[in-house]
Amino acid sequence: MGTFSKDFIFGTATSSYQIEGAIKEGGRTPSIWDTFSSIPGKVVNGDTGEMACDHYHRFEEDIEIIKSLGVDSYRFSIAWPRIFPEEGVYNPEGMDFYVNLSKQLLAQGIKPFVTIYHWDMPQWAHEKGGWVNRDSVKWFKEYAQACFKALDEYVDMWITHNEPWCAALLGYHQGVHAPGHTNMDEAVKAAHHIMLSHGEAVKLYKEELKLEKPIGITLNLSPIYAASNSQNDLLAANNMDGYLNRWFLDPIFKGKYPEDMMNLYSKYVHSYEFIQSDDLELISYPCDFLGINFYNRQLVEFSGASDFLYRLAYSDYPKSGMGWDISPKEFKSLIYRLRQEYTQLPIYITENGAAFDDVLEEDGTVHDTDRKQYMEQHILAVAELNQEGMNIAGYYLWSLLDNFEWAFGYGKRFGIVYVDFETQKRYVKDSAKRYAEIVGARKI
Ligand code: IFM
């Protein structure tokens, strides 16, 4: 059993492109995800975010659902192309949506936790080179400043970027996310500029604007394990850890890139001159917390045929509907490692959850026992970590609603609330009821 203090924050999370819809309303122009998802073959089933959960029109109903869960906080992101539909052109109508959303959350006693960038870069910015162009740092800073000025009085905490690994590596190296490029040189530059824009935004917030709410970044971290103790498999695990975890943790917390990975990448990255003299100091500008999105551990083995000498290995762990290992024990190990190697800042679990094949019964119930169990295991792990003094300050369940799961479309349901995408009717799943019970009792 585990308990939670009164000031521990429980919440749920979403992101703009995954739920809002209304892609042509309120002065919004296309984002890279509108473009990418409209290319045949890029998203399962040809799904796009055009309608998503129609949250733009139904946010009041969604706030009622959040309220019924009894959570302290709601994490959402802002759609950049609503705020700057063109370069340098601010759109107050786009911002009004988030001001209104935040005010209504506050009126219900729910704290807004805002992510500035959750992958929906404006198409205009992409056409000027996107994150590969160093000017993206300037564009992001202008956008972040507009968000801080309009929303800081309502917002409880700020996240600059959600999962830079996905935006940079899935978007520019693996090509499975927008903008769909497969170029490691671009990916490393994109990652650098995303992190630099994070540092610039934090510095702006604290030094120039002198604002005082907690601000940080969210990383998707997976502990990587070798399939055996062979030198080759250990090397494979080290490389994947570098690719996924250290490439972001080291610059943010140690002010340097991992040398082994710089060497490994130099086959693709012909010059590191794009890293300018003060960049790492800015990237490691002190934040107030670290956000972590945790889903699974990963097991890898050596592969001479792969770019960085690793590939995923067979694992006999139970799996979520994404085929990901369910691994609450390794979640705890990840936190121990962060505490030992990287930071003593408060940690927020800004996402944790699982997709499963849910069945909507005729009476409107969804008995998502697997998701309930996944959630319980991870919340219990958080309670245990806190008993050991690990200072986890909050937990956000991903996700409030079934939504647009990027390249997987609407087929993968992560919500604790079922969405019928034909009618847009919402149905509270058993996992949501159980979550409300845990939050209410502050005990698991
Ligand atoms: O849906 C995503 C979210 O946008 C970012 N983190 C992982 C989730 C599940 O894949």
Side-chain angles (χ1 to χ4, degrees), residues 18 118-119 162-163 293 295 324 351 398 405-406 414:
Q18 292 180 275
H118 196 126
W119 312 347
N162 179 72
E163 304 183 355
N293 293 349
Y295 289 90
W324 298 344
E351 287 179 24
W398 184 270
E405 178 53 26
W406 307 111
F414 274 88

Side-chain angles (χ1 to χ4, degrees), residues 7 25 88 122 125 152 185 245 289 326 359 385 406-407 425 442 444:
D7 50 2
E25 290 180 51
D152 192 66
D185 182 54
N245 301 319
F289 63 85
I326 298 176
V359 179
L385 285 163
W406 307 111
K425 203 164 160 2
R442 307 234 140 216
I444 180 146

Side-chain angles (χ1 to χ4, degrees), residues 62-167:
D62 292 335
I63 292 178
E64 284 303 316
I65 299 174
I66 302 170
K67 170 117 177 108
S68 75
L69 297 171
V71 291
D72 309 290
S73 173
Y74 171 56
R75 174 178 173 234
F76 62 91
S77 76
I78 300 178
W80 185 351
R82 288 195 193 284
I83 311 302
F84 280 95
E86 301 298 335
E87 184 179 2
V89 180
Y90 176 64
N91 175 34
E93 192 186 350
M95 189 62 90
D96 282 351
F97 173 71
Y98 300 103
V99 171
N100 202 5
L101 173 65
S102 304
K103 280 186 178 168
Q104 297 210 30
L105 285 166
L106 285 174
Q108 299 297 336
I110 302 157
K111 298 173 172 153
F113 190 5
V114 176
T115 307
I116 300 173
Y117 187 71
H118 196 126
W119 312 347
D120 38 2
M121 172 175 256
Q123 183 64 24
W124 64 257
H126 173 67
E127 280 162 17
K128 293 171 197 280
W131 289 113
V132 181
N133 181 346
R134 195 176 168 99
D135 284 352
S136 57
V137 178
K138 189 182 71 189
W139 306 325
F140 181 80
K141 192 173 164 190
E142 185 183 24
Y143 162 51
Q145 170 149 356
C147 296
F148 295 148
K149 286 197 165 156
L151 289 171
D152 192 66
E153 62 182 295
Y154 312 111
V155 165
D156 198 53
M157 293 193 289
W158 291 99
I159 293 173
T160 53
H161 282 274
N162 179 72
E163 304 183 355
W165 178 82
C166 295

